[in-house]
Amino acid sequence: MNKESISLDNLENIKGNPKALLPIAVFLVLYLGMGITFEYVLKVPMGFYNIPIVAAFLVAIFVACIQNRKLNFDKKMNVMAGALGDRNIFLMILIFLCAGIFAGILGRSSASAAAYLLLDFIPSQFAVVVLFVVAAFVSTAMGTSVGTIAVVSPIAIEVAGAAGFGIPFCVASVIGGAMFGDNLSFISDTTIAATSTQGCAMKDKFKVNFWIALPAALAAIVIITAISFATDAHAVVTGDYNLIQLVPYVLVLALALAGINVFAVLLVGIVAAAVIMVGSGNLNFVGLLGNIGNGISGMYETIMVAVLVSALCGLIRIHGGFAALLDFIHKVFKGHKSGQLGVGLLVSAMDIATANNTVAIVMAAPIAKQMSDEYRISPQKTASLLDIFGCIVQGLLPYGAQMLVALSAVATAAAAQAAAGVTVQNISAFDIIPYMFYPFLLLISVLGFIAISPKRKKK
């Protein structure tokens, strides 16, 4: 077999081979199996996130490398190198790094400024709605739902205690808002992964995504407001904030919505953030460099996962695994609408298994790309479906990072209040999930979108 015959661009004649999917099964057994054991059997805090996901993918790659003896090791290396050399992978890595630097420079104090600003001016009955809106804004601007939840959840707990709302209600509103913002953000790793792998512009994906997410968000706000008015609310908390720290977020959002190139947007945001944080005295030069380094470091695992998944998918594809999966999909999903549902179910299954919607999107993306072509789904629509279904599942997972970070914030607040002689309700994920209105409404919205969306026109 010559080098040309193993090119990833000439795969039409590869026959389906279900055994080629074994590396994915090995990864899922390792990651999901150990994660469940750590989290629920050994009761290790943040158990799923103590599993080295990079090591699990390395084992999966090793399994893929020992499959298909007709292809020697050197040719398998060529296949993996070809997958890694894809333009979209390199583009995704560069954007990940820039997004990490931007978020790293601004830190958490800038994000909390948005919350305290709005809480200063609104009646107590709207406090939980403000938490949802603030989480949505901060997550859209920062590009991270987990970081947003870590910042805003402590404020939500203060609001719950001061205003008389239930902690699960307040925390669920923060998670819902954070997932809404992360799903739409131009610098979110999920958006970057979805658009880069499907070959569409971020603004085009945003346009599709926005009209699916907005009805769900508005409906969630209505429900949150109704519950809030049925509660006897008291005065809300306030805190110190510096308005100038919000400027980089607003600038990035405005430029991104204007359709400016994502690199230009991020570079402008990075420069603005550095000037404002240093000029306002919040950071000195050494602190600025430290925050930049922290922002880059925070993206290392995401980048490594993207690289390893690309290499693994290259091998699985050349061994016939994706062809086998597509054969199965063709038997179950036979039309344009069911094909869209198939994309959603595919990324949902990956997310349930990995508890990471970015990893799920990267793993599902090559198959979704082929489904996009075969079922005449536009690239921006496919990217939106990947991101939306990943958002829905990730927001509801009891063992997802978003839920675990929120629960950690509650536990920390409970411990601090207990030391002061005040009792704070300690809750579980299953106390929060009934109040997770946004992900449930987003599912209804996207299913309605699938039902009415037209086919992509033939070229």
Side-chain angles (χ1 to χ4, degrees):
M1 188 180 289
N2 59 29
K3 190 172 181 178
E4 287 70 28
S5 66
I6 61 171
S7 168
L8 294 181
D9 296 323
N10 300 296
L11 300 169
E12 294 83 357
N13 298 323
I14 293 178
K15 294 182 179 180
N17 176 19
K19 292 180 181 179
L21 297 171
L22 179 62
I24 294 179
V26 169
F27 167 77
L28 296 181
V29 168
L30 282 174
Y31 187 72
L32 190 59
M34 287 195 295
I36 291 173
T37 302
F38 275 41
E39 189 76 34
Y40 298 107
V41 179
L42 301 178
K43 305 294 183 182
V44 176
M46 299 285 286
F48 263 87
Y49 297 90
N50 284 306
I51 310 300
I53 191 171
V54 171
F57 274 118
L58 284 173
V59 173
I61 287 176
F62 172 77
V63 172
C65 283
I66 62 177
Q67 289 183 304
N68 190 4
R69 295 183 180 180
K70 295 179 180 178
L71 207 63
N72 65 38
F73 184 72
D74 285 342
K75 289 178 179 177
K76 288 172 183 174
M77 290 297 291
N78 287 338
V79 169
M80 287 191 285
L84 294 179
D86 187 280
R87 173 185 177 275
N88 290 326
I89 298 300
F90 183 65
L91 181 67
M92 184 163 53
I93 290 171
L94 287 179
I95 298 174
F96 278 150
L97 289 171
C98 290
I101 292 171
F102 176 74
I105 291 173
L106 288 172
R108 295 185 175 186
S109 61
S110 299
S112 62
Y116 286 125
L117 168 65
L118 289 178
L119 288 171
D120 243 359
F121 296 100
I122 54 97
S124 56
Q125 286 88 353
F126 293 99
V128 186
V129 171
V130 167
L131 290 174
F132 181 92
V133 172
V134 166
F137 169 77
V138 171
S139 188
T140 304
M142 289 177 65
T144 166
S145 56
V146 175
T148 299
I149 292 165
V151 170
V152 185
S153 287
I155 301 172
I157 296 163
E158 290 185 52
V159 168
F165 296 110
I167 290 178
F169 177 44
C170 291
V171 171
S173 298
V174 170
I175 298 174
M179 297 311 294
F180 171 76
D182 186 48
N183 186 213
L184 291 174
S185 175
F186 284 81
I187 60 172
S188 166
D189 48 3
T190 56
T191 297
I192 295 165
T195 55
S196 297
T197 55
Q198 300 309 305
C200 69
M202 289 187 183
K203 64 177 182 179
D204 293 333
K205 180 260 188 188
F206 177 87
K207 290 175 184 176
V208 175
N209 212 152
F210 180 78
W211 294 114
I212 300 171
L214 181 63
L218 292 176
I221 287 173
V222 170
I223 294 172
I224 292 169
T225 303
I227 294 174
S228 298
F229 271 84
T231 304
D232 183 18
H234 314 300
V236 298
V237 296
T238 58
D240 296 329
Y241 55 87
N242 188 346
L243 285 178
I244 198 171
Q245 293 179 5
L246 297 177
V247 172
Y249 292 136
V250 175
L251 186 62
V252 164
L253 286 177
L255 292 176
L257 290 171
I260 307 299
N261 178 276
V262 64
F263 282 115
V265 169
L266 285 170
L267 288 174
V268 170
I270 288 168
V271 172
V275 170
I276 287 171
M277 294 301 285
V278 173
S280 63
N282 287 281
L283 286 175
N284 57 28
F285 185 70
V286 174
L288 173 67
L289 293 179
N291 281 16
I292 290 173
N294 291 335
I296 293 172
S297 298
M299 286 292 180
Y300 281 167
E301 184 173 84
T302 301
I303 290 170
M304 282 306 304
V305 166
V307 168
L308 293 176
V309 168
S310 299
L312 178 63
C313 288
L315 286 175
I316 292 173
R317 185 182 295 181
I318 206 75
H319 292 167
F322 288 171
L325 195 52
L326 284 169
D327 289 342
F328 171 77
I329 289 170
H330 290 152
K331 292 177 183 177
V332 179
F333 304 102
K334 299 184 180 295
H336 173 70
K337 290 180 173 56
S338 63
Q340 293 177 75
L341 184 60
V343 171
L345 293 176
L346 176 66
V347 73
S348 297
M350 295 293 187
D351 197 9
I352 290 169
T354 62
N356 186 311
N357 47 343
T358 304
V359 174
I361 289 169
V362 173
M363 291 181 71
I367 301 171
K369 179 66 174 172
Q370 290 181 256
M371 292 174 68
S372 172
D373 294 335
E374 295 186 26
Y375 290 101
R376 289 167 59 190
I377 309 168
S378 67
Q380 58 266 35
K381 193 181 293 183
T382 306
S384 293
L385 292 171
L386 287 170
D387 204 350
I388 287 170
F389 276 94
C391 168
I392 292 167
V393 173
Q394 187 68 25
L396 295 172
L397 281 180
Y399 52 87
Q402 288 77 3
M403 193 72 73
L404 295 176
V405 167
L407 292 173
S408 176
V410 174
T412 301
Q417 294 290 349
V422 179
T423 302
V424 173
Q425 176 190 7
N426 217 335
I427 59 176
S428 73
F430 300 100
D431 295 313
I432 295 175
I433 289 173
Y435 294 99
M436 290 292 296
F437 306 120
Y438 176 68
F440 290 120
L441 292 166
L442 183 60
L443 177 60
I444 295 171
S445 184
V446 74
L447 291 177
F449 169 79
I450 288 172
I452 64 174
S453 63
K455 287 183 182 180
R456 180 179 64 179
K457 293 181 180 179
K458 289 183 178 179
K459 293 182 180 180

